[in-house]
Amino acid sequence: MARLADYFVVVGYDFDKRASSESQGQILQRFPEKDWEDNPFPQGIELFCQPSGWQLLSERKPPTFFVAVLTDINSERHYCACFTFWESVGDLQTQKSQPREAAEDEDHGIVQPTQLFAPKSLVLVSRLDHTEVFRNCLSLMYTVHIDHLNVQLETLIGNLLTCIIPIAGGSQRTITLGAGDRQVIQTPVNDSLPVSGCSVALLFRQLGILNVLYLFCAALTEQKILFLSSSYQRLSDACRGILSILFPLKYSFTYVPILPGKLLEVLSSPTPFIIGVNSFFRSETQELLDVIIADLDGGTVTVPECVHVSLLPEPLLHQTKTVLSMVMDPELQYADYAFPPTLIQSSALKIQDKEIRAVFLWLFAQLFQGYRWCLHIIRIHPEPVIRFHKAAFLGQGALTEDDFLNKVLDGMAFAGFVSERGPPYRATDLFDDLMANDMERIKMEEGHPCKILRHIKELAEHLFKNENPYPSVAMHKIQKPTEGSHLRIHQKIFPFLDEVAVQFRIDHAASSQKSAPPVVKPEKKCLVLSGPPIAAMVDRNGSALANSARRLEVVRNCITYIFENKLLEAKKLLPAVLRALKSRVARQCLTQELNLHSQQNRAVLDDQQFDYIVRMMNCTLQDCSHMDEHGIAAALLPLVTVFCRKLGAGITQFAYSCVQEHSVWMNMQFWEAMFYSDVQNHIRALYIEENESCDQQDYGEQMPGGKSALEIAAVQRRLWPTLCKEKQLELVQKEESTVFSQAIHYANRMSYLLLPLDTSKNRLLNRSGLGDVESVSNSYVTNSIAGSMAESYDTESGFEDAEGSDVANTVVRFINRFVDKVCTESGVTNEHLKTLHTNIPDIVQMHIETLEAVHRESKRLPPIQKPKLLRPSLLVGEELVMDGLRVNLMSDGRDEATGGVSGGLALLPAEGAIFLTTYRLIFKGTPTDPLVGEQVVTRSFPIASLTKEKKISFHAQMEQYFGEGLQLRSCTFQLMKIAFDEEVSSDLVELFRKHLHKLRYPQQVQGTFAFTVGQSAKMLVEPKSKEKNQSLNPWQMNEFLHGLKIGLTMGHISHSTTTLSKNLMKNAKKTIGRQYVTRKKYTPPTWETRSGAQFATDEDDISISEEPDQSSLTLSSTIKSSDRQTMSNVVERACCRDYQRLGLGTLSNSLTRSKNEPFRISTVNRMYTVCRSYPGLLIVPQSIQDPTIQRISRCYRHNRFPVVCWRNSRTKAVLLRSAGLHGKGVAGFFKSPNAPTAGPSQTDSTSLEQEKYLQAIIKSMPSYSEATGRNTLSGFSSAQMSSSVSVIGHRARVISLSQPRATVKARKSPRGKWGSIRVSNRMSSYNPDIGTRLAGKDIPPPQANGGPSETHFLRQQRAYLYIIGDKSQLKGTKQDPFQQWEVVPIEVFDVRQVKNSFKKLMKACVPSSVSNESNMTFYRCLEDSEWLCLLHKVLQVSVLVVELLDSSSSVMVSLEEGWDITTQVVSLVQLLSDPYYRTMEGFRLLVEKEWLSFGHRFSHRGAQTLASQSSGFTPVFLQFLDCVHQIHLQFPMEFEFSQYYLKFLAYHYVSNRFRTFLLDCDCERIELGVMYEEKGERKNQTVYKSVWDYIDKLNKKTPIFFNYMFSPEDGEVLKPYSHISNLKLWDFYTYETLSEGPSYDWELVHGRYEQPDESDRQDTASQKSQRKIVWPCYDNRSKVEPDAITKLLQELQSLEVELGLVSEKWKDTWDKIKATQRTETKLESRHSLFSPLLLSSNLIHQRRTQGLYLQESVGSSINLLESENIATSTPSGSMASGRRSTSTLYSQFQTSESEHRSLEGVLYKKGAILKPWKPRWFVLDKTKHQLRYYESKIDKDCKGVIDLAEVESVNQGNPSMGAPKNIDEKAFFDLKTTKRFYNFCAPDSHNAQLWIDSIQSCLSDA
């Protein structure tokens, strides 16, 4: 029973504080005046009566009512029902303001009375929530007052405050206040179920299903929720609705349905809340960044970006949405029916409210299914103490990773749920009944919405009956005020009540209640049933693995073999067992089997048995998480203290000392759960009849033959009141003693597993919490891990202040914290707790002393036999820096070598050693799996390719302990995860890392392996820092002399150049002095002799004697006549050789040059003063002088001005390259016409010179003088062109510049820096923008009004020069339409994108660990890397430039700094356009010219030195090679070199084995003296400095670099597909050979396959089978299974060796065979187009012609016709028909039979005109697709052949003149070919039909 109302309060406007800034309310009267003892008066009621503030209004408002909720300090909620009405302000209050107001009125001459209304509130305060009853009571009081009823208000208030009603029980109570009223109050049947009325249904109607679900999940996961509405009652109802759907959980945070405006700062509190605020304060809630705002009026829910709301797990979320939609809108499922049911309609609002609540009750039943099976009862008396085992609950439901459920279980609401519903003996409600009885039904109904809905309605009926137990309620009788009464002009003020009369009635009622006997309703308590347990879930590794009975049998057999001492059998099964233990079921099987053997007194093992058991335990614990959700570690915990081995007299080593390296032992929650589980078992043992000890951990499961702990606890709680006090005290003491003894036991257990065997090493401080976690720092040199482990543990791990602590103190602190927590929760007395704290240090110290003896004896054990370390083969000059460190190579994310998804042998992990040399990092070892065999596993990569090194840690997977390891990643797509053996000390590991860092990033480039090869013992002298006037060393002097000689020879040394040369000579004196310095210089071969077999061996001496004076520095004195040969050798650099080949410049002995040549070779940069990163010789227009070039260069970044690098031999169009313009250059160069100019300046002159420079380039083109117009860019048909681009076929003549309007414009346009070169309107309006195509953006329209532009016919005028520039710099620019050049802005990527893309590509191709996430698959990661997108962009631009050049337009590529993307594009353009660059010699020349001479920053981009370390590795050159690889795949017959050639360059351009790709430009190479090799070193080289020389040498030995399909066509221009769908991932990124490592250091692996071949050949007679097992990731397939031609060449070479002949070089053999086959081809018949071995040049490249045009052309019909013409015009002319003979396809094979006779017989054949019919023996050969005929059957010489490929038809024929007689007419048939008509006659009609059918079948098969 409880009071209906505790307090009645009258609150009014506080007129005393009206003058203050903020008006307030005040309590006028309250009844009773004294507080109730059990319920004090709540403070702050006046704030909640007017939440928006107390204000005086000018008009009277109707009365309002709402219910606010206040929460006191004891978390008790008080419901404040506020009835507010407005009263006129009395004369007393208004008189104070009248004098001032009257004075103002006199001024205006008008006097108006002021009428104000003040609010007054009648408030009921109650602990019960009866909203409607409160509304009726307060309305009755207002009615009595306003209508002047003859009833005393004091009587009403006294009766109200003395009304007593029951809280629950489902009874009815009729009350009356004494004014003729009557109300019936229904109490709920069960007060634990919330009473919601219609609030839940209203909430869903206001916000919708999804929004309410968001709020529901947010409330459960403890987020902040704010409701907004203009209605206070709606706010109260919404908050009540949210709490109702949270049942059975109770919200325990701040709950304020109506928050006053003065308390809005509460919204900034850090704790979660549910608060309602009036919409009037909406603006003040906008700044809340972590609050979810629900607008009830607008129906929206706003979730801030920084807030993540975890939603329900699937499929529960989907099911809940479905059921809610069926409840809210039952007509939805019938909406599409043709004849929908007529009786379907929504339930009433009250019923719908309960149906929605039933859905959430059904939802919670599924979420918490089986929760009672995970309860631990640790005390029964005097009060139950229950804890929830969260890990077991999540593990059994396979919900460990579910974020929502984890947050719910960790929340305060669920903690209250466990405390309230955990006790097994209590009163139950609807939720308990649902969990106990309906879970099977819910599971059966899953997937059947109609059945679920039926169940929901049943639950809703229970909820409705709980609130409305008596549907036929007596009618209420409440008198209401007269309508419009509140608008009366004259209303009385609410009277001042008589406090004495009210108090008298309260006292009278209180005395009568004391005399009445108390109503005691016995509480119905019963046993709470647990319901069905959680269903067994399928193992997440896959049902097939988890349920494999065979795997479990293997585990059982292996354990049996171990305990039966059959160790050889156990050793065979052990690898399979370790793999099987990845499954949870197998791990559980292991613990069960070990438990069975431990009970059979088999705990003492020998050394080998102990090692095997420990290894399996470690493997089992390795895959357990720190939560131990499956109870594996819990099951192993008692076993590790049982199994042991004897080490000596009285010394025993237990298994726990070898299984400590797992994160689960450091988790406090694990120890607590284990402790509670054991305590529960022992508490249960106190009360069962049989006195047995239970050591199992059952998490509350029912024991065989007995009751569960919860059931026993229920019985004990029921008997507790009946026990005497002595018995009760005895039980309490027994339980406490049980907890105390378990605490001591667990203190011992924890010390076992936390104290390391070697107590001198505090491994607790060195272990991370979650295994295989990276260390804090990724740098190369870091402090030890122990130094930073304070950061690795949270405060709950006990190691927050572990620095400097010893092992004992660390462990003692950890155990003390554990004991404090569990004993406090378990009710242990303080005396026992102090005893525990006193004993724990003694326990730890005693165990340490025991471990010391064990550790001492364990060292005396014979060491585990480890594999012998295998030493790697080293290159010549490569030396070991550190001897091999024993490590294990662990598996990474690639599962090919681990026997993963692809199956096979587990090559990894492998045990061996890591070797650090001056060149490479090498691992060499053998697999740890003994069943794999004795394969040698090798993994290596160059040190220079190392991109990342970081520390990692591992679990104990093997017998050895692996504490620390390294993960090393290489840009050659290699990854090493190495775990150091325990014999490797930490100091050695740090020394290894320091050496590695020093070798990876030397101080200078001279410290790289290419310079120090063979000289590692010598000290490298670091160069001094450069001074302002740095002197030149002898090497630099010689190199600069070479540059001088070039210029002097060409006769173009200007005065300024001579002065510069003198300065160089002057500086050189400081270094050379007066001594004679002689250098022998190597002479590169000339252009003509470079392709020869031998190099020139002539030597020249350059002698530098005493230096001449400045005045004597002349041509004759500087360069002697004997040095002319050396001068010409300098000219033989790549640039100059290519210029001569292209006809861009000549260098002759006479030094003469035709003035008609458009270009010249300039020596303006021979001293590298104009541009340091350009070569010394440059191609510039003939008419441009050197001083002009120097001025022009200043406008470009790094002075990289435009120079010619290639010329099209057919169209004479040239390709130029340069850097982008300077920022200020762009602003001036492309200024808008309206920009003001500062008058004539140097900038203007430079602009003019730049203009002349481009004009000179244009004039050099032969097409410049042509009068015919050309199409613009839109005329090109290419795959790169947009399909929307229209092809313009018109040709327009060049427009004269004398048109009036154009002239005016030209005059008015100011000239800035390149002011006249602006992007034309025609470019942006008519031509397709290339940048737009690349970026996929829209092209801007030509005119705003859509009309034609002024320069309409200029659009069809093709520009003579296109400048490819960066769109970001050319944005918003304009261009003069009358210029003959055109700027094409494109969007390009920068090097940062390349760098980031490459990092992602490496992680995709070589992942560090296996990822099970669906969004982290290989193809997903590859797509995320965007590597192929970058290739697509580069190829796209390159193909476009090729098309422009091929159509007689020159192109200038002017992007970024001119050494990255520019180099890629110009290189690819030349490769696609010029077949010469697709040869090995040409490709070398291309790389030397465009990449080396033109200054690609190889050192900087490759991070080769310490200075460039911060820039990181950026694979620009690798990207270029990948593009070449893509082109090679599409045109395999156009390249002389193979794919291996590209991989070889990709590997060695980062390996630093050669000097070729070191340094950033030629100038730096000259400064370091590496530009030209010494000729003396070329003799019998063992160490090659140039990669090209190495390739030449290797190419003479083996055809590994040669492409056998090489069959080019003259002048072929390639146009590859560039779409991403046409690009393939390069296998260089994914291919690996563990047998030998990378195959690009040929000396290390080339001889490895020769010796086995010889042995195999010798044993051929004895071998029955020559089958080989080829393992994809282990063997090098190209060597084990070479292609047919390579194998034939190898066999030919072997036969020559066996015959004692001099082995011929493979190239000579190839050339001879090729020449022979060409001769034979000419002698063959015209049908034989293919040689037996070689693919002749007659083979049509389908990819070149038809395929390209069919798939990519815009006008496919026209282009297809052209392609067919091209295809048929082959050099030999033998394919005039356009269809080659099918028989030639088979002429290259030799078969065992001479002929293939599919059908043969006699046929009469009619001869030519006037020739008779003759019988012939015909043979139909289906294999060769021929019909041959002979004179007779025995004739061997074929008389003729009919190629079936030429047959068009075969039909029934008619007899003709001279045909054989007496033959059936149906025996004749005719054969029509493309050349003639054949008449045949068979012996009879049957044979004729047989021939016809056979020939037709051949035709259909073809």
Side-chain angles (χ1 to χ4, degrees), residues 1814-1826:
K1814 290 184 180 180
R1816 293 285 186 264
W1817 185 262
F1818 278 78
V1819 175
L1820 179 63
D1821 190 343
K1822 289 187 177 181
T1823 303
K1824 292 189 176 182
H1825 220 53
Q1826 294 174 345

Side-chain angles (χ1 to χ4, degrees), residues 1367-1415:
K1367 191 173 184 179
S1368 62
Q1369 288 198 341
L1370 307 179
K1371 191 174 183 181
T1373 59
K1374 299 181 180 179
Q1375 181 175 346
D1376 191 339
F1378 300 107
Q1379 296 290 358
Q1380 285 118 357
W1381 56 79
E1382 191 169 309
V1383 179
V1384 181
I1386 65 171
E1387 289 185 0
V1388 294
F1389 49 85
D1390 57 12
V1391 291
R1392 288 174 296 180
Q1393 288 177 267
V1394 179
K1395 186 188 305 181
N1396 295 332
S1397 175
F1398 183 72
K1399 288 180 181 178
K1400 295 178 181 177
L1401 177 69
M1402 281 200 298
K1403 291 181 180 179
C1405 297
V1406 192
S1408 58
S1409 60
V1410 179
S1411 176
N1412 295 324
E1413 299 180 21
S1414 58
N1415 60 342

Side-chain angles (χ1 to χ4, degrees), residues 25-237:
Q26 64 176 347
I27 298 177
L28 302 178
Q29 284 185 293
R30 56 163 275 200
F31 305 97
E33 292 183 348
K34 293 184 179 179
D35 291 359
W36 298 104
E37 294 181 0
D38 57 343
N39 186 15
F41 182 77
Q43 300 299 318
I45 285 183
E46 59 274 13
L47 289 176
F48 288 86
C49 294
Q50 290 293 316
S52 300
W54 289 83
Q55 298 174 353
L56 298 178
L57 301 179
S58 60
E59 61 180 8
R60 196 191 305 267
K61 283 189 175 182
T64 61
F65 174 84
F66 60 85
V67 177
V69 179
L70 282 73
T71 307
D72 63 15
I73 195 171
N74 298 321
S75 298
E76 293 288 337
R77 288 176 184 158
H78 301 267
Y79 297 91
C80 300
C82 301
F83 186 97
T84 304
F85 55 95
W86 273 257
E87 295 180 333
S88 175
V89 177
D91 294 338
L92 182 62
Q93 287 78 17
T94 57
Q95 283 175 357
K96 298 178 182 179
S97 59
Q98 279 179 355
R100 179 174 54 85
E101 294 172 356
E104 293 177 358
D105 292 340
E106 288 174 0
D107 295 339
H108 296 283
I110 300 174
V111 179
Q112 294 181 352
T114 302
Q115 185 72 14
L116 295 177
F117 300 93
K120 182 169 288 187
S121 297
L122 308 180
V123 183
L124 280 183
V125 181
S126 173
R127 286 172 294 180
L128 305 179
D129 186 12
H130 291 288
T131 303
E132 291 304 316
V133 174
F134 297 154
R135 185 197 302 270
N136 293 335
C137 293
L138 293 177
S139 299
L140 180 63
M141 292 182 188
Y142 176 73
T143 302
V144 170
H145 159 65
I146 199 71
D147 286 344
H148 313 293
L149 298 182
N150 191 18
V151 179
Q152 294 293 327
L153 287 174
E154 289 83 352
T155 304
L156 301 180
I157 296 171
N159 291 337
L160 176 62
L161 294 177
T162 56
C163 181
I164 305 297
I165 62 170
I167 297 176
S171 61
Q172 282 187 345
R173 177 71 185 270
T174 303
I175 65 170
T176 179
L177 300 184
D181 60 305
R182 182 176 68 249
Q183 293 186 70
V184 178
I185 299 177
Q186 285 196 17
T187 58
V189 177
N190 194 327
D191 62 338
S192 65
L193 295 176
V195 176
S196 60
C198 303
S199 58
V200 176
L202 286 174
L203 179 64
F204 270 84
R205 291 192 178 184
Q206 288 165 345
L207 294 180
I209 294 175
L210 190 59
N211 283 337
V212 177
L213 283 178
Y214 262 100
L215 295 179
F216 170 76
C217 295
L220 282 180
T221 54
E222 301 181 355
Q223 302 284 357
K224 301 177 183 179
I225 300 174
L226 176 65
F227 287 99
L228 291 179
S229 178
S230 58
S231 165
Y232 293 118
Q233 191 57 39
R234 289 283 179 92
L235 291 175
S236 296
D237 289 342

Side-chain angles (χ1 to χ4, degrees), residues 641-662:
T641 57
V642 172
F643 291 108
C644 60
R645 63 177 173 183
K646 297 287 185 181
L647 295 180
I651 299 176
T652 304
Q653 182 181 12
F654 287 88
Y656 58 73
S657 62
C658 303
V659 296
Q660 298 172 334
E661 312 306 321
H662 300 283

